[in-house]
Amino acid sequence: MEIISKLSEDALKISLVGELDANGAINLDRIISKAIADGYYKIAVDCRQLEYISSAGLGVFISYISELKSHNGKFVFYHLRENVESVFNILGLQKVVAITHDFTQAKNQLHEV
Amino acid sequence: MKNPIAHSLSLTWLAGLITLGSFGLLMLFLAGYRAPVYLPNLQAFTEAAFYLGTFFLVRQLLAGLGSFHAAEHLLRLSVLGLITLALLLLPAVLMPREAATAAPSRWLLIMKGLQSAFLVFYFTAGAVAGYQIIGRQGSARSRKALLLLYTCLAALPILQAWGLDIPLLNYALFATAGAAGLSLLFRVDWLVSLDSKLRKSTLFYLLALSFLSGILLLKTFFPELHYELPIHTAESHYVVLTGFLTLGFSLISALFLLFHLPVAAILDIREAEKKHLIEVGLEAEKTHDLHTLLATLARQTRSSSSASAAWVTRVNNESPENGYPIVEGISLNDIKRIDYSLHAHPGHFQLDRAKDFLFVRDLEKDPVLGNHVLSIRSLAIYPFSLQDGSEWRLCLGFEVPNGLNEHLAREVSHFVGHTRLSASHVCTLQEVAAKARLEKDISIGREMQKRLLPKAFPLSKKADIAADGISAEEIGGDYYDCHVMKDQSIAVLMADVSGKGTPAALHVAEMKGIFQSLMLSDPEPEEFLSLANRAVNRCFDKGMFITVLYAVIDLDKQELRYVRGGHCPLIHYNAKEHKIHTLQDDGLGLGIINGESFDKTLMSRKVKLHAGDIIVLYTDGIVESRTPDAFEEFGYERLRDCIYLNMELDSKSLNKKILREVQSFSGSSIRDDMSLMTIKIKANGQNKNHN
């Protein structure tokens, strides 16, 4: 499940709740693609309530990385649980997306270019 | 009667011969022949033989008839009764009383004989056939009653012939036969189970039989016949008893049937519903086809409500053009007109809340439908929906202005209900079939995927290599391979395609080609990953990625060179230090970023190997396995411990041991494929090397 809230003109917050598996990935993809179409290129992802993320879920974020970058945007993930962070690290995602500790840091990261 | 046919035929002949013979003798008596002195009772014996012969002849004839239709028997009996009555009345009508009492002419003699013969034959046939009809479907008790009845019938003439004409005994036999007959008469199954079409004709025959038997019995007691019959009918107990039995059977059955008729009409409706239910059920089972099922509904409701037309259409609320018309007895043009009107005036054709159908009487006077010239004059509309959410409509058209009564309306409602039930069965069956097909596809996919994995690993004197795995319910995206390089180094690969199911499996198949062709040129780890990442970026969709661990085990140099492409870190047991390490270095999955940026992240690592070292490659299915309550992951710690505690096992057994451990941890819930490859450096390999 995802909860979306607007942060600013071009920034958006997506809160992920529960498990993000292959089924959830389809919905997430729809949400992000709509956000980008609406002009939101800076996306903060709140992972406080994210219990598990599957490779398909990761794939959704990965597929938009280059598109956000071309619009000077990015994903910033924050509040990752230990097991989720481990999945990010093993895959090497910390090299291509920003991972921060909390929302304040995430907001600062979003507006750094 | 289980006699062979030949036997029963000869019995019939025997009974016929006795009947004819005794009848001939009786005629002689009538013509004036007197019994010889030494046989004073000959006439009584002859009479008894005649009765018994007739009785057995009728029994045999009935048993000889293969099929047993009550109505047909009753028709035959009625005809027989009519002939008998005609024979009895004819002489009285044809000739004056005086002429009849005068010297009997030869034809009168024959006439008398025929009258007697037919009377006895009719009563016997009535009694035997009637109770046979009742007793036939009955229980063992009713068969006993039937036997008792027959015994009494046969006993009467025998006793009479012997001169044992004791009134008390006669009364007892009469009473017994009467009681047996009466007890049988209350077995009315045969009347209840009568086909609705036969019910009225059966009633008619039974009434006719009652009337005929009544008249003939009266004639027996009060012979208005002014001449002597060869048989003294009124004094013959046999004739009287059979006569009363025939009358009792026909009259009581007729009365019962008469009072049963109104109930039968309701039973008919139930019967029709049952038939429909069975037919629809069979149809559903046979065809698994909704169209056939709905066609059955149209056909059945049309025939049972005597509508002139019936059709089923799928209702489309957005357009009057309704698909799927199943038509019986009306033109498509008329249906289109009606559909259009129904669509254009939804308010006008609103259902009553209490009813599940709408009936439009006098279509000519209807403000909406009256505008069209239609072939029907009243219309019943039954809307219904199916399990899949589709809306349908059954329409019945009648040639009369008021074609539907309450009974029929309810019956049609039931038909619609049955059809909905069966349709939901059909839907379920179709779903089950589709699911079975899908499952078959998946199992084929899984089989194909297994074939992508190497069956055997190169046998090396220096290393013991084995791989194993467990598939999840779905087809997964695990892949591993092994290749012996030119310098006898061993290249091993463990990969996991993102996602699950068929797309992942197809990508695995694609990657196998890429990986194998790359491995043929014996690349070093960095080179391999760089090339593989370019291939993945080129071939795969955005968002699809692969994690890879590629390692070269150089047994000559005793070293391990590897790159971790975002895959689960390799586990290395160092035999010299007695320590176990998880080699988690930086590394990025394939297909996430493009060629050059990716190449910059690549960093090959080297690890020194020793005899007895163990290298374990695996997929995330193992470390991410969770307890059934999903509370805890298997994790790296447990995996390391398991390897450490079982290091003395050979590669194959170690793999098995680890998989067993994971399974007992996670119970039956396997969420993801688990694959595992173990390489043990052999001690003798090192020795050989040193030698």
Side-chain angles (χ1 to χ4, degrees), chain A residues 19 22 51-56 58-60 62-67 83 86-87 89-96, chain B residues 497-499 542-545 547 564 566-569 584 586-589 591-593 601 624 626 630 633 636 671:
Chain A
E19 304 202 343
E51 288 159 14
Y52 168 84
I53 186 162
S54 74
S55 53
L58 290 169
V60 175
I62 289 167
S63 61
Y64 290 105
I65 288 174
S66 55
E67 189 168 356
N83 64 324
S86 148
V87 169
N89 287 341
I90 285 172
L91 186 58
L93 277 185
Q94 75 277 20
K95 288 181 191 154
V96 285
Chain B
V497 174
S498 71
K542 255 182 161 188
M544 215 56 183
F545 61 90
T547 66
R564 197 182 66 82
H567 196 77
C568 300
Q584 182 162 1
D586 278 1
L588 190 61
I592 296 172
I593 54 175
T601 70
E624 286 179 13
R626 294 205 232 174
E633 281 189 353
Y636 297 96
R671 290 161 58 109

Side-chain angles (χ1 to χ4, degrees), chain B residues 270-509:
Chain B
R270 295 278 169 279
E271 197 59 37
E273 279 167 13
K274 214 160 71 191
K275 228 171 100 190
H276 174 80
L277 186 63
I278 291 166
E279 189 170 325
V280 162
L282 284 177
E283 209 68 66
E285 206 158 279
K286 215 163 53 199
T287 60
H288 297 183
D289 176 25
L290 196 60
H291 189 277
T292 321
L293 208 62
L294 295 174
T296 310
L297 174 69
R299 199 180 58 241
Q300 288 256 357
T301 47
R302 185 189 171 200
S303 74
S304 68
S305 68
S306 58
S308 65
W311 65 100
V312 178
T313 46
R314 185 166 186 164
V315 180
N316 180 356
N317 286 330
E318 278 141 32
S319 123
E321 285 298 317
N322 295 324
Y324 235 113
I326 295 156
V327 188
E328 290 252 324
I330 191 169
S331 73
L332 268 174
N333 272 339
D334 277 2
I335 291 184
K336 269 187 190 161
R337 283 185 205 131
I338 292 168
D339 276 349
Y340 186 81
S341 303
L342 292 180
H343 179 77
H345 305 272
H348 180 68
F349 298 101
Q350 200 88 48
L351 292 193
D352 279 353
R353 212 167 263 175
K355 284 181 182 167
D356 53 0
F357 67 98
L358 178 77
F359 186 56
V360 188
R361 274 166 244 269
D362 294 312
L363 283 185
E364 301 96 327
K365 292 178 193 156
D366 188 82
V368 175
L369 287 169
N371 300 332
H372 305 295
V373 181
L374 297 168
S375 58
I376 52 171
R377 297 183 64 195
S378 57
L379 174 70
I381 305 164
Y382 287 80
F384 61 96
S385 60
L386 294 183
Q387 200 190 24
D388 59 3
S390 56
E391 298 282 330
W392 299 79
R393 182 162 62 217
L394 165 71
C395 293
L396 295 173
F398 300 89
E399 276 169 353
V400 287
N402 192 2
L404 198 70
N405 65 35
E406 207 176 313
H407 267 303
L408 288 177
R410 211 174 308 140
E411 196 180 329
V412 174
S413 291
H414 287 162
F415 282 170
V416 172
H418 292 159
T419 304
R420 284 187 58 196
L421 200 70
S422 294
S424 80
H425 286 167
V426 166
C427 288
T428 313
L429 283 174
Q430 280 172 346
E431 273 168 27
V432 167
K435 211 173 157 208
R437 267 201 304 279
L438 191 68
E439 267 165 18
K440 190 150 183 268
D441 281 355
I442 288 175
S443 81
I444 291 172
R446 200 178 291 145
E447 199 50 45
M448 298 284 286
Q449 196 195 4
K450 266 188 202 150
R451 279 189 221 166
L452 294 177
L453 299 173
K455 277 187 201 71
F457 285 91
L459 285 172
S460 163
K461 287 173 187 160
K462 301 172 183 174
D464 169 20
I465 308 170
D468 208 339
I470 299 173
S471 296
E473 285 296 305
E474 275 187 84
I475 312 165
D478 284 7
Y479 176 71
Y480 50 82
D481 208 349
C482 179
H483 167 71
V484 180
M485 296 164 96
K486 281 189 201 83
D487 62 355
Q488 296 304 304
S489 296
I490 296 164
V492 289
L493 167 81
M494 179 68 71
D496 187 356
V497 174
S498 71
K500 270 196 276 186
T502 319
L506 288 173
H507 281 116
V508 167

Side-chain angles (χ1 to χ4, degrees), chain A residues 38-102:
Chain A
D38 292 345
Y40 297 100
Y41 300 114
K42 297 173 179 174
I43 299 173
V45 186
D46 178 3
C47 302
R48 191 200 311 259
Q49 284 165 283
L50 178 64
E51 288 159 14
Y52 168 84
I53 186 162
S54 74
S55 53
L58 290 169
V60 175
F61 292 114
I62 289 167
S63 61
Y64 290 105
I65 288 174
S66 55
E67 189 168 356
L68 290 186
K69 207 171 178 183
S70 66
H71 288 94
N72 283 330
K74 61 167 88 165
F75 285 116
V76 180
F77 296 84
Y78 65 96
H79 255 314
L80 272 68
R81 292 188 181 190
E82 198 184 336
N83 64 324
V84 174
E85 184 154 20
S86 148
V87 169
F88 273 69
N89 287 341
I90 285 172
L91 186 58
L93 277 185
Q94 75 277 20
K95 288 181 191 154
V96 285
V97 296
I99 296 174
T100 66
H101 193 260
D102 55 32

Side-chain angles (χ1 to χ4, degrees), chain B residues 10-262:
Chain B
S10 65
L11 273 180
T12 314
W13 280 112
L14 187 67
L17 231 80
I18 291 175
T19 314
L20 272 179
S22 52
F23 181 66
L25 211 55
L26 281 176
M27 290 293 279
L28 280 180
F29 280 118
L30 187 68
Y33 172 75
R34 288 289 161 259
V37 193
Y38 51 90
L39 274 176
N41 285 338
L42 186 61
Q43 191 167 354
F45 273 118
T46 318
E47 216 169 290
F50 177 59
Y51 296 146
L52 288 177
T54 315
F55 174 71
F56 280 109
L57 186 63
V58 169
R59 285 277 296 122
Q60 284 303 114
L61 286 176
L62 276 177
L65 289 172
S67 57
F68 198 91
H69 294 296
E72 277 175 30
H73 282 312
L74 294 176
L75 175 63
R76 285 192 198 111
L77 274 178
S78 309
V79 171
L80 191 62
L82 264 179
I83 295 172
T84 313
L85 188 64
L87 278 175
L88 285 182
L89 294 179
L90 209 58
V93 174
L94 283 186
M95 63 178 63
R97 186 175 291 229
E98 293 74 29
T101 32
S105 62
R106 190 162 294 163
W107 81 262
L108 198 61
L109 196 69
I110 295 171
M111 177 60 79
K112 285 177 181 178
L114 278 178
Q115 285 172 342
S116 297
F118 268 90
L119 192 69
V120 171
F121 195 64
Y122 169 69
F123 279 162
T124 307
V128 173
Y131 292 91
Q132 191 81 14
I133 287 171
I134 302 172
R136 195 181 166 79
Q137 295 169 332
S139 58
R141 240 180 83 199
S142 67
R143 273 198 297 278
K144 270 181 202 155
L146 201 61
L147 195 67
L148 193 63
L149 182 69
Y150 288 162
T151 315
C152 293
L153 272 182
L156 276 172
I158 295 174
L159 286 177
Q160 209 171 354
W162 244 292
L164 293 171
D165 203 355
I166 310 160
L168 208 60
L169 191 61
N170 283 337
Y171 293 147
L173 281 174
F174 258 79
T176 315
L182 262 180
S183 79
L184 279 168
L185 278 177
F186 287 102
R187 304 201 60 88
V188 288
D189 315 22
W190 73 281
L191 287 171
V192 177
S193 63
L194 269 180
D195 200 309
S196 58
K197 285 166 201 147
L198 285 176
R199 214 173 278 136
K200 286 201 178 116
S201 58
T202 305
L203 178 63
F204 175 74
Y205 297 146
L206 283 172
L207 284 172
L209 280 178
S210 315
F211 172 74
L212 288 169
S213 311
I215 299 254
L216 288 174
L217 261 180
L218 279 178
K219 281 272 172 206
T220 307
F221 278 113
F222 308 104
E224 292 281 21
L225 319 160
H226 4 276
Y227 41 76
E228 203 181 353
L229 279 177
I231 293 159
H232 309 287
T233 48
E235 284 143 46
S236 162
H237 303 314
Y238 176 83
V239 175
V240 172
L241 182 59
T242 46
F244 271 112
L245 284 174
T246 309
L247 178 65
F249 160 74
S250 47
L251 194 61
I252 293 181
S253 299
L255 285 177
F256 180 85
L257 194 55
L258 197 63
F259 290 120
H260 173 64
L261 275 181

